[in-house]
Amino acid sequence: MEEQDTTPGTPSRSGRSAMAEALSRSRTPIRRDSFDRPNGFPVLDYTPRRFSTGAPTLPMPTPQVVVAQAQVEMELEEKNGRGNRTPKEKQDFESALNKFELFSSTPSIARLAALTTPCYFHKRFGDAVDIDKVLEEIRGDDQLSHSRLMQTAASVREVSRQLQRRPLKRAVRNIMVITKARDNVLVTLTRELTQWLLATPRYGRDVGVNVWVDEKLRGSRRFDAQGLLKQDERFKDMLRYWTPALCLEKPELFDLVITLGGDGTVLFTSWLFQRVVPPVLAFSLGSLGFLTNFDFENYKERLTHSMGDAGMRVNMRMRFTATVYRSAASYASSSTAASSASISTTASQSGVGDPATAKIEGETHEVLNELVIDRGPSSYISSLDLYANDSLLTRISADGIILSTPTGSTAYSLSAGGSLVHPDIPAILLTPICPHTLSFRPMLLNDDMALKVAIPPSGRGSAFVSFDGKGRVELGRGDEVVVRASQYPFPTVMGEPLEWFDSISRTLRWNTRAAEQKGWGAQGAGDVDGGLVDGEDGGKEFDIDFDEDHAPTVREREEDSGYGGTGTVTSAQTLSEMGARERDLRRGWR
């Protein structure tokens, strides 16, 4: 009996695919690494990979791998003469193969890698992903191949897309309302909203949910908190008051944040929550509407929909974490001798050889719109050193620079010549303010960069930095500002999939003309402006016979050539003479 060649990668004489040959040699469906490939095929073992959420072991990856294993077992049974499957079982098996498209004469290593990679199971969202375990797995894989890297990156993008499409379905028990306490109209609307939230039955109760309002409204006569409490005794425990300190220390108290105002109120919400941010539902009651896409007139329908079984879709808007680092030398020069000694001691303990180059960490801000560094009141042009991951990119000579998030691309950055960027794009916008060189244009940078803007020690003057228009801070020589993508995004409730395009069309009149060009036709035009008259059948028709040949008159030729023309004809006799001359010319042309 002739021995068959069972070398991986060569189809056997029985017609089995190379994939079946590979699986039959190992009899294990789980693939560990993609770099061990004797003769072009991976080495399979029995060791399961741990799931990134901390699950003890992996289940079988997918039905595709189970079908591939069943195919190998069936072929081995038929080869050894032990095949006892019924025709119905064989038919079901063939339909499963057709469904999963595993008939192939060539090995599908990329398909098997995609099915067995741990990132594939992240799509199931059985548990929240533990990013620390994911990073530990990546660091532990010393021989990461390009195919594994490609599949992991694609899986991460798919996870991000699935998370954005998935609505949040949770019981909203505590709602925080943010508005301008000094605006009487908004205070009145806040009371109306609060009363409706307290009194509308929710989640099997005959009352509503807990409502948190600004502490400043406790004694407001227009808000009339005592009048609300008199309506129902249970409202005393349901109406509560928030303070900025409470938002900073216990942000998990709130299930939903409702803002009544404009974009400034949304930015104020970002300032209140410097770490974890609850979902924000913004109603448009201000002068701008880039971030406020919901109409307050329909607040009952919108909140009922978001708090119901349908849930709410959330857009995770990118924020910056901006930290100011002070130069120890400049700080020591303005401090006492004791503080200078303590600074030197701290610098030496931290391993810094020269205390003059040491930095002291200052304030940190979470930025939703942009970070602006400008020259302030100084008459000198700003000189700024820009670093990316501790590598010098360039020295900037300009009035300043703007580091903007995609959300802030419609703000100061747009006025300075920056581009419009969709909020789902993870990027950092670098926009110069009146640069000294015309070649320094706005650009988009990767969000995994850590950007550092430093004031050179040899600079002429200082600079000023502001965070979302708040907290303007002066920077001296040697000071630095480090900007990174924040791990605390700003979640906003979405209404429509294309609401960002609707907002820029509504607020900026993006790609909208002041008046559309009139169509060429008789229908739909006006009697006077279009030069049309009513027909006998009630429609519109032109009062000019376009089919009649028109020969240019002497006057028209003279005016077109630019050498004739005596001005406007004012005499009836002159008009009659020109009419007779035109008739003679028409006869001559014909």
Side-chain angles (χ1 to χ4, degrees):
M1 180 176 178
E2 183 179 357
E3 184 178 1
Q4 294 183 356
D5 183 13
T6 59
T7 302
T10 304
S12 63
R13 296 185 180 180
S14 61
R16 289 192 299 170
S17 65
M19 173 68 74
E21 291 284 346
L23 292 175
S24 64
R25 291 173 63 87
S26 61
R27 299 301 304 277
T28 56
I30 298 179
R31 172 175 172 271
R32 179 174 178 80
D33 293 316
S34 60
F35 54 88
D36 292 330
R37 296 188 179 183
N39 299 324
F41 284 84
V43 174
L44 307 177
D45 59 13
Y46 292 92
T47 305
R49 298 185 64 87
R50 294 184 60 85
F51 193 38
S52 298
T53 57
T57 57
L58 280 177
M60 290 300 297
T62 58
Q64 287 91 331
V65 178
V66 178
V67 170
Q69 185 179 17
Q71 181 186 16
V72 175
E73 295 177 354
M74 179 179 292
E75 292 176 355
L76 291 176
E77 290 175 358
E78 292 178 356
K79 179 180 179 180
N80 299 328
R82 294 179 300 176
N84 55 358
R85 298 180 184 271
T86 63
K88 181 66 169 57
E89 292 177 347
K90 293 182 179 180
Q91 183 179 0
D92 294 339
F93 182 72
E94 294 293 335
S95 62
L97 290 179
N98 293 331
K99 179 178 179 180
F100 297 117
E101 299 179 354
L102 288 179
F103 281 124
S104 177
S105 60
T106 58
S108 181
I109 300 301
R111 179 189 294 263
L112 183 61
L115 297 179
T116 57
T117 173
C119 290
Y120 178 84
F121 297 95
H122 295 175
K123 302 177 185 178
R124 297 175 180 262
F125 305 113
D127 298 309
V129 177
D130 190 345
I131 189 63
D132 293 332
K133 292 184 178 295
V134 174
L135 297 177
E136 182 180 356
E137 288 182 3
I138 294 176
R139 287 191 294 265
D141 200 345
D142 297 333
Q143 297 178 334
L144 183 66
S145 67
H146 69 280
S147 60
R148 173 74 182 277
L149 180 63
M150 176 187 65
Q151 294 295 336
T152 304
S155 300
V156 169
R157 287 193 296 268
E158 181 63 25
V159 168
S160 178
R161 285 193 291 265
Q162 293 293 338
L163 286 176
Q164 291 180 359
R165 298 170 185 169
R166 187 176 182 181
L168 295 180
K169 298 180 180 180
R170 56 180 301 179
V172 180
R173 304 291 185 181
N174 294 271
I175 296 181
M176 176 182 180
V177 182
I178 300 179
T179 186
K180 296 180 181 178
R182 63 179 181 272
D183 194 320
N184 294 332
V185 176
L186 294 181
V187 171
T188 303
L189 296 179
T190 302
R191 188 185 191 280
E192 176 186 345
L193 175 62
T194 303
Q195 181 180 2
W196 181 79
L197 291 174
L198 292 172
T200 304
R202 300 283 181 188
Y203 309 117
R205 302 174 56 192
D206 57 349
V207 292
V209 297
N210 301 329
V211 182
W212 297 73
V213 297
D214 196 344
E215 177 69 24
K216 299 176 183 178
L217 299 179
R218 183 189 293 270
S220 174
R221 292 178 296 177
R222 194 175 299 274
F223 183 74
D224 191 14
Q226 298 300 324
L228 288 175
L229 300 179
K230 292 179 182 179
Q231 298 180 11
D232 195 320
E233 295 181 355
R234 292 172 292 183
F235 290 174
K236 294 182 180 179
D237 298 329
M238 298 171 60
L239 181 60
R240 306 174 184 179
Y241 301 92
W242 59 264
T243 60
L246 181 65
C247 298
L248 183 63
E249 297 172 359
K250 298 180 179 180
E252 67 278 358
L253 288 178
F254 313 107
D255 300 321
L256 179 65
V257 176
I258 299 176
T259 65
L260 304 181
D263 291 345
T265 307
V266 179
L267 294 177
F268 177 72
T269 305
S270 176
W271 177 80
L272 286 176
F273 295 94
Q274 288 292 301
R275 292 295 182 266
V276 179
V277 186
V280 179
L281 196 154
F283 287 105
S284 179
L285 289 169
S287 57
L288 291 177
F290 289 107
L291 303 176
T292 55
N293 297 312
F294 297 103
D295 208 354
F296 185 77
E297 296 179 356
N298 304 323
Y299 75 90
K300 296 181 180 180
E301 293 80 2
R302 170 50 57 184
L303 291 177
T304 301
H305 180 273
S306 300
M307 299 169 64
D309 297 335
M312 48 188 170
R313 291 184 57 194
V314 175
N315 182 18
M316 307 300 290
R317 294 179 178 267
M318 175 184 175
R319 291 202 299 179
F320 289 157
T321 299
T323 305
V324 178
Y325 291 89
R326 299 291 185 178
S327 174
S330 62
Y331 186 84
S333 61
S334 59
S335 305
T336 60
S339 62
S340 302
S342 62
I343 292 173
S344 302
T345 303
T346 303
S348 60
Q349 292 177 354
S350 61
V352 179
D354 186 6
T357 61
K359 304 296 179 183
I360 301 174
E361 183 176 350
E363 58 269 24
T364 300
H365 299 269
E366 297 293 321
V367 179
L368 177 60
N369 252 8
E370 75 272 319
L371 176 141
V372 181
I373 302 178
D374 55 30
R375 64 180 184 175
S378 175
S379 59
Y380 296 106
I381 192 171
S382 296
S383 294
L384 307 172
D385 290 340
L386 179 63
Y387 295 83
N389 299 332
D390 289 333
S391 298
L392 180 62
L393 290 183
T394 184
R395 171 162 289 187
I396 300 172
S397 296
D399 284 351
I401 60 171
I402 304 171
L403 297 177
S404 172
T405 65
T407 299
S409 64
T410 56
Y412 192 5
S413 175
L414 181 64
S415 300
S419 175
L420 293 173
V421 181
H422 195 276
D424 290 343
I425 298 177
I428 302 176
L429 284 74
L430 173 62
T431 306
I433 304 175
C434 299
H436 185 264
T437 57
L438 297 180
S439 59
F440 187 27
R441 310 309 300 164
M443 60 191 308
L444 294 178
L445 303 176
N446 198 345
D447 67 328
D448 64 355
M449 288 186 176
L451 298 181
K452 180 174 67 175
V453 182
I455 310 299
S458 60
R460 290 185 176 181
S462 61
F464 290 81
V465 58
S466 62
F467 312 92
D468 280 341
K470 302 176 68 68
R472 189 174 176 86
V473 177
E474 184 176 3
L475 301 176
R477 295 182 180 90
D479 293 348
E480 301 172 352
V481 180
V482 179
V483 180
R484 299 181 178 89
S486 175
Q487 60 177 328
Y488 304 104
F490 189 82
T492 56
V493 180
M494 297 178 58
E496 301 295 334
L498 300 179
E499 64 181 9
W500 183 76
F501 295 95
D502 297 337
S503 66
I504 63 175
S505 297
R506 182 182 68 254
T507 55
L508 298 178
R509 299 186 62 84
W510 175 69
N511 199 24
T512 301
R513 295 182 57 177
E516 294 295 334
Q517 186 176 1
K518 297 178 181 179
W520 178 257
Q523 298 294 333
D527 293 343
V528 179
D529 297 338
L532 307 178
V533 294
D534 295 335
E536 295 179 357
D537 57 352
K540 301 289 184 180
E541 59 183 22
F542 287 101
D543 62 345
I544 301 176
D545 187 4
F546 290 97
D547 296 333
E548 182 181 357
D549 294 334
H550 175 66
T553 64
V554 175
R555 181 181 179 85
E556 290 175 349
R557 291 197 300 268
E558 291 175 349
E559 291 180 359
D560 292 341
S561 63
Y563 293 100
T566 57
T568 305
V569 179
T570 57
S571 172
Q573 180 180 1
T574 305
L575 288 173
S576 177
E577 294 176 355
M578 295 203 54
R581 189 184 311 164
E582 182 176 353
R583 286 194 299 271
D584 296 337
L585 287 173
R586 284 181 180 274
R587 295 192 187 98
W589 277 84
R590 292 180 181 175

